[in-house]
Amino acid sequence: MTTQLTVALGERAYPIHLGVGNVGLLGEALRVAGARGTVGLVTDTNVAALYGETVEKLVTDAGYRCVTHTMPAGEEYKRLGEIEAICGTFLEAGLDRSSMMVALGGGVVGDVAGFAASAYMRGIPFIQVPTTIVAQVDSSVGGKTGVNHPLGKNTIGAFYQPSAVIIDMELLHTLPTRELRAGMAEVIKHGVIADADLFDYTEKNAEAILNKELAALERPIRRSCEIKSAVVAEDETEQGLRAILNYGHTFGHAIEAVTHYEVYLHGEAVSLGMCAAGALAQQLGMVDSDFVARQEACCVAYGLPVRWPELPVDEAVTAMRKDKKARTGSMKFILPEGMGKVVQRTDVTEEQARAAFEAIRH
Ligand code: NAD
Ligand code: GLY
């Protein structure tokens, strides 16, 4: 069975198809999206080995020529050079303005392929087929695409919406456990920012979710997509509301930066970041210690880190200041007021942010 959600963006609205074994919808989705010529499939080495042939066959069975570009797996390949490589493969194969791209993979493939689609021949449509939890609950929806620069993560990119998102939960069977756990940090985030019931459910069903019971995974994935779609429909280019999706990311990005992206997966850094944000909110009198303990216990239930004893506080504060100022021009924090509700605060001092980092060191 497939559930269909919609990202309501007027004439750029698109469907999210969520189900089990529903990757077979790809041929029809290509047709509905108006594909006429060749389809450029972008994937990475790990995903290609698992699902590349199946997806290529779905494309060719639907009557399209399929040209595949397989990029090396890993965050370090989320870089401008890969955009050039993808365009090179597709130019050589003769893809033109009537062509369409398909991103088959995790958030790295989705972000890179989406950005390549935004630029190839000044923009051709693309479809997201996400294969990690991070990608299924977050990155495939909402149109943020791009690559990293040595001077900053996600600093080169475009808002470019896909024509459709096909989420097949069956593809998660092969996902390594650490990646599954890290992805659940984004689900916990969605619960804290917008849906106390989702948090409650996520908290109570950790065992079934970590066992990849698809019946248990459906609700967190669906609710995450609903929450993200609603936010994006209201504020596509992050003029205001969309910033709530960055809960835990202000501290998390600083942690990723000081570890040079080599110690923690993105979701693990977000877990630490949410704990720091909780500590900051408690310091400001916005939530009590029960809230902080509950959020932390949920992260622990998913095997996510909640303390980093070696955290270099000075370095992290500097990285956060640089990142925040570069991205938003000032120090803005998304902080909880209770389960399911966050607000933006612009009055946080550097000393208070420092104390929050200290809180997750002990
Ligand atoms: P990833 O894309 O690197 O995938 C993680 C690993 O899992 C990779 O080694 C990949 O090859 C492998 N993999 C993927 N699917 C698999 C499967 N089904 N079975 C086995 N292995 C599989 O990482 P990710 O966590 O999916 O994405 C992280 C990226 O997403 C970061 O670059 C982050 O910035 C970005 N992101 C973007 C947004 C957005 O809104 N655009 C939101 C959140 C995260
Ligand atoms: N992942 C944050 C956003 O899409 O805005």
Side-chain angles (χ1 to χ4, degrees):
M1 209 191 75
T2 299
T3 307
Q4 186 177 318
L5 312 170
T6 301
V7 185
L9 283 168
E11 59 187 19
R12 285 173 300 108
Y14 55 94
I16 302 171
H17 305 280
L18 168 63
V20 178
N22 62 333
V23 71
L25 292 176
L26 180 59
E28 176 63 5
L30 284 164
R31 196 189 58 72
V32 170
R36 283 176 286 130
T38 306
V39 170
L41 175 67
V42 181
T43 187
D44 73 20
T45 41
N46 295 333
V47 179
L50 294 162
Y51 305 112
E53 269 182 38
T54 306
V55 173
E56 280 171 357
K57 185 163 179 337
L58 287 170
V59 173
T60 50
D61 284 354
Y64 301 102
R65 181 168 79 106
C66 185
V67 176
T68 301
H69 178 92
T70 304
M71 58 182 279
E75 181 75 29
E76 63 271 38
Y77 296 100
K78 185 171 153 178
R79 58 185 188 191
L80 266 179
E82 290 310 312
I83 303 298
E84 190 172 359
I86 290 169
C87 293
T89 302
F90 293 163
L91 283 167
E92 269 176 27
L95 269 71
D96 59 19
R97 288 197 49 75
S98 71
S99 303
M100 200 171 280
M101 285 194 207
V102 172
L104 172 71
V108 168
V109 166
D111 283 11
V112 171
F115 187 38
S118 79
Y120 191 80
M121 301 282 167
R122 299 201 173 83
I124 61 171
F126 81 115
I127 290 179
Q128 291 269 20
V129 184
T131 63
T132 62
I133 294 276
V134 167
Q136 295 195 348
V137 304
D138 193 347
S139 63
S140 66
V141 174
K144 276 190 183 174
T145 71
V147 295
N148 304 327
H149 184 277
L151 293 179
K153 185 172 156 75
N154 293 332
T155 43
I156 304 172
F159 286 101
Y160 194 67
Q161 302 293 342
S163 298
V165 181
I166 299 175
I167 300 177
D168 184 346
M169 293 188 289
E170 209 159 75
L171 305 183
L172 298 173
H173 273 310
T174 49
L175 190 67
T177 303
R178 186 176 173 200
E179 299 289 349
L180 173 74
R181 293 175 187 275
M184 288 309 294
E186 302 285 8
V187 174
I188 295 169
K189 175 194 81 177
H190 287 137
V192 175
I193 65 170
D195 186 346
D197 289 343
L198 171 63
F199 185 90
D200 213 39
Y201 177 90
T202 306
E203 189 178 48
K204 292 195 174 107
N205 290 279
E207 196 182 331
I209 288 171
L210 289 173
N211 282 334
K212 295 188 189 162
E213 288 175 26
L214 299 186
L217 268 165
E218 195 270 348
R219 180 164 161 188
I221 296 176
R222 177 174 45 78
R223 276 303 293 144
S224 290
C225 289
E226 286 168 352
I227 290 164
K228 183 150 185 191
S229 300
V231 170
V232 168
E234 204 165 310
D235 178 22
E236 183 181 6
T237 56
E238 203 169 311
Q239 302 305 305
L241 177 71
R242 187 165 178 163
I244 69 171
L245 299 172
N246 298 330
Y247 175 60
H249 287 58
T250 306
F251 292 103
H253 278 155
I255 289 167
E256 286 182 286
V258 299
T259 51
H260 308 288
Y261 305 91
E262 283 167 4
V263 177
Y264 295 111
L265 296 178
H266 176 67
E268 293 169 344
V270 168
S271 171
L272 285 164
M274 290 191 291
C275 292
L280 176 54
Q282 185 182 358
Q283 204 190 139
L284 296 173
M286 299 168 66
V287 293
D288 59 17
S289 58
D290 287 351
F291 173 93
V292 173
R294 191 175 170 209
Q295 178 181 254
E296 188 176 313
C298 191
C299 292
V300 169
Y302 283 91
L304 291 163
V306 295
R307 290 285 179 283
W308 180 22
E310 295 84 33
L311 200 165
V313 174
D314 286 338
E315 234 186 289
V317 170
T318 305
M320 186 168 68
R321 192 192 315 119
K322 256 173 68 184
D323 184 61
K324 275 319 255 178
K325 293 252 163 78
R327 279 171 210 271
T328 65
S330 64
M331 294 277 275
K332 293 179 186 139
F333 288 83
I334 304 301
L335 296 177
E337 285 191 314
M339 198 50 76
K341 188 163 177 10
V342 285
V343 291
Q344 182 164 287
R345 295 276 300 244
T346 51
D347 57 345
V348 175
T349 65
E350 205 164 290
E351 276 322 298
Q352 288 166 331
R354 176 181 299 274
F357 273 126
E358 287 290 354
I360 60 163
R361 214 159 66 87
H362 301 296

